[in-house]
Amino acid sequence: MKDQIKKSQDPENDSMKITVTKNGPYIATGGVPIVVAEICNDNEGYCRTWKIVDRYPVREECALCRCGHSENRPFCDGTHAKTRFNGTETAGNEPYLSHPEIIRGPELELTDYHELCVHARFCMRAGGIWNLTEQSGIPEARDTAIEEACNCPSGRLVIRDRRSEELVEPVLEKSIVVIEYPAKGEHGPLWVRGEIPVVSADGKPYTVRNRVTLCRCGKSHNKPFCDGSHVQH
Ligand code: SF4
Ligand code: FES
């Protein structure tokens, strides 16, 4: 778990960027690796690990579908123009991020940004991360809470070590991970990892975070970010 207590840093790759285009795809520049990963369940059916199943050849620039209708996903094939995709960005930069729920346990503090959940469901095992945080005086509960927070792709769940006051963030390869969840037949969002900047179609930068998830089904009400709308209830 020790390596998870460091912050992600990769100064050599800071030319990478993702730009949202108006009613069109995301343009990833700077040679961002594009990887496909599946959510794997444990024997009890809880989401437990990530398995990388594919890597695309690295290109200086590529266009990634955000309307959900490309025949060449995860890449854009121009279908958004024919379907008149409305990709209006509705995520303000900050307001909801400034009102997270804070849960304090003896060892850990959990910051929970509800609106960012993409329903990847890593946080539900062993009684759930909220209970585990409250029981974080127990080493096993503490370790499981950290593992669950670090597996959360969207960055909804962020853990702080109350002794050191440091955030406990996973070290993530700068990359875009195309999330697939075969057990549920779900095609999840694009998981942007390692503090790659995301810029809106009108040139405004969103807050840079170690983990963010971008909508790729076209249905999110918090575009460009995923709000879990791809999950059929
Ligand atoms: S995105 Fe994070 S908070 Fe939402 S279900 Fe997945 S692990 Fe839990
Ligand atoms: S954004 Fe171009 S096909 Fe989906």
Side-chain angles (χ1 to χ4, degrees), residues 117-123 152-154 156-157:
C117 186
V118 303
H119 306 315
R121 308 181 189 90
F122 283 93
C123 51
C152 172
S154 69
R156 167 182 170 181
L157 302 170

Side-chain angles (χ1 to χ4, degrees), residues 116 148-159 168-170 172 191-195 208-213:
L116 297 180
E148 291 186 5
C150 288
N151 270 329
C152 172
S154 69
R156 167 182 170 181
L157 302 170
V158 177
I159 287 264
V168 185
E169 273 293 300
L172 298 171
W191 180 12
V192 178
R193 317 193 314 167
E195 302 184 347
V208 175
R209 303 183 79 211
N210 189 27
R211 309 172 260 163
V212 298
T213 40

Side-chain angles (χ1 to χ4, degrees), residues 27 87 94-95 124-126 152 159 166 193 206 208 228:
I27 306 294
E94 274 304 328
M124 295 157 86
R125 187 167 54 88
C152 172
I159 287 264
E166 298 275 331
R193 317 193 314 167
Y206 289 102
V208 175

Side-chain angles (χ1 to χ4, degrees), residues 104-121:
R104 290 193 181 86
E107 295 278 332
L108 301 176
E109 178 183 282
L110 174 67
T111 307
D112 183 349
Y113 303 97
H114 295 245
E115 292 82 350
L116 297 180
C117 186
V118 303
H119 306 315
R121 308 181 189 90

Side-chain angles (χ1 to χ4, degrees), residues 23-25 64-70 75-81 85:
N23 301 328
L64 293 157
C65 176
R66 78 180 177 107
C67 74
H69 294 291
S70 171
F75 301 104
C76 167
D77 69 354
T79 302
H80 60 273
F85 170 55

